[in-house]
Amino acid sequence: MTQRIALTRYLVEQQRVHGRIPPELRLLLEVVARACKSISQAVNKGELGGVLGTAQTENVQGEMQKQLDIIANDVLIEANEWGGHLAAMASEEMDGIYPVPNRYPQGEYLLLFDPLDGSSNIDVNVSIGTIFSVLKKPEHPPGQNHGVSEQDFLQPGRDQVAAGYCVYGPQTTLVLTVGNGVDLFTLDREQGSFMLTREQLQIPPDTQEFAINMSNMRHWDAPVKRYVDECLAGLGGPRGKDFNMRWVASMVADVHRILSRGGVFLYPWDKRDPGKPGKLRLMYEANPMGWLVEQAGGAASNARQRILDIQPNQLHERVSVILGSRNEVDRITSYHTGL
Ligand code: AHM
Ligand code: MG
């Protein structure tokens, strides 16, 4: 029988044997995983736990919050605020940053998360998930007690030190990178541990599967329309092959499929609200997913540049997202840039 390694041992080895992460980052990842286990329990109970339905409140993005959005946010805050590894947190569900309260020691990391991604799927028993991104708090000149501000968070995605997501689906799976490839852990509910089940995920460079919300077709820009039309034309069209389409409407589930068997995901800018660069948020959706995809050999672009190179100006900034199999992402980018 295969001897499986638990996440705890994996993280200890990342720290001690490979020297890839410092002890504080190991603790941080351990705590995030523990919070995900707890969110998984709440999601699993569903109606029995009285956790479904709307919370009757709006978040900073003007979206109605579900009860589970708020529960997941609280679980992540409570799990992470007292350990001494963080300076502050930021979330899709909170307007501003959440500095670690003064009664706890302050650490050097910043944690960003979308506590429960795929909100429209919460009440219908379809996969949802938690996305997270970890940054180092920038150093300030010695002697200056600077505290922590939103400005400290505004770092490009290439500066992330860890990123991952947890999908609450038929299985609960945690997918993680610390900059050395992407590894996958499956929650063993009897043992209460995440177990390493797949190492060094690789996204094939070519694919015949795309993911986009087709109901927005009439709002798309010409290059996106061209790409999808060419896919739909199939064997007899310019691509000379048939394509399949999947759209879960949970980015975690769509990205998980792409990390498992390839594909391309698009949530592009569209004409519904031309002032908005896209629907998805840069700092806690596109950046962590973009880095995971790149670490697995794929690509992530906003249709013009690498997502990880975008300098954020705001915590809740939105972005156009095209990610997955490298050759498809490059093709869609070239349709936009003409290069
Ligand atoms: P959320 O963070 O409020 O759940 O919104 C993000 C989600 C993504 O998971 C998904 O890709 C997209 O919104 C689905 O949008 P749509 O309902 O327009 O298809
Ligand atoms: Mg989301």
Side-chain angles (χ1 to χ4, degrees), residues 10 47 92 124 126 157 165 178 187 217 223 226 252 303 309 334:
Y10 168 92
E47 220 131 30
E92 179 177 320
V124 294
V126 172
Y165 64 81
V178 290
L187 181 61
M217 185 184 268
R226 172 183 169 194
V252 276
D309 285 337
S334 77

Side-chain angles (χ1 to χ4, degrees), residues 92 114 117-119 213 247 249-251 267 279 281 285:
E92 179 177 320
D114 177 353
D117 179 61
S119 298
N213 183 340
W247 183 250
S250 284
M251 190 194 199
Y267 212 121
K279 174 180 179 180
R281 276 56 50 122
E285 292 177 324

Side-chain angles (χ1 to χ4, degrees), residues 15-176:
Q15 178 201 322
R16 203 176 53 202
V17 183
H18 307 296
R20 289 189 190 119
I21 52 172
E24 298 76 23
L25 183 54
R26 172 173 68 78
L27 173 65
L28 190 164
L29 294 170
E30 197 57 87
V31 172
V32 169
R34 203 182 313 138
C36 288
K37 271 192 258 176
S38 170
I39 297 168
S40 173
Q41 298 282 3
V43 168
N44 256 251
K45 285 208 170 79
E47 220 131 30
L48 297 174
V51 294
L52 299 190
T54 165
Q56 304 295 351
T57 47
E58 268 189 11
N59 66 12
V60 66
Q61 347 259 335
E63 299 159 345
M64 281 307 279
Q65 292 173 305
K66 297 276 172 60
Q67 286 199 69
L68 268 173
D69 284 324
I70 295 176
I71 291 168
N73 194 67
D74 290 349
V75 167
L76 281 155
I77 297 277
E78 281 159 24
N80 279 287
E81 67 180 355
W82 51 269
H85 49 283
L86 283 180
M89 292 176 256
S91 155
E92 179 177 320
E93 304 303 339
M94 299 187 295
D95 299 6
I97 65 163
Y98 180 92
V100 163
N102 286 334
R103 60 185 182 279
Y104 300 123
Q106 314 287 307
E108 54 182 341
Y109 290 100
L110 305 172
L111 174 66
L112 293 117
F113 45 84
D114 177 353
L116 212 49
D117 179 61
S119 298
S120 70
N121 287 321
I122 290 178
D123 292 341
V124 294
N125 199 10
V126 172
S127 295
I128 46 182
T130 299
I131 310 173
F132 61 92
S133 160
V134 185
L135 296 164
K136 264 306 263 298
K137 185 183 151 196
E139 284 183 15
H140 296 293
Q144 285 186 21
N145 185 7
H146 215 275
V148 60
S149 69
E150 182 170 325
Q151 190 61 35
D152 293 328
F153 281 81
L154 303 182
Q155 305 177 38
R158 61 171 182 265
D159 291 346
Q160 293 171 102
V161 294
Y165 64 81
C166 187
V167 192
Y168 313 113
Q171 303 110 43
T172 290
T173 46
L174 181 77
V175 174
L176 184 66

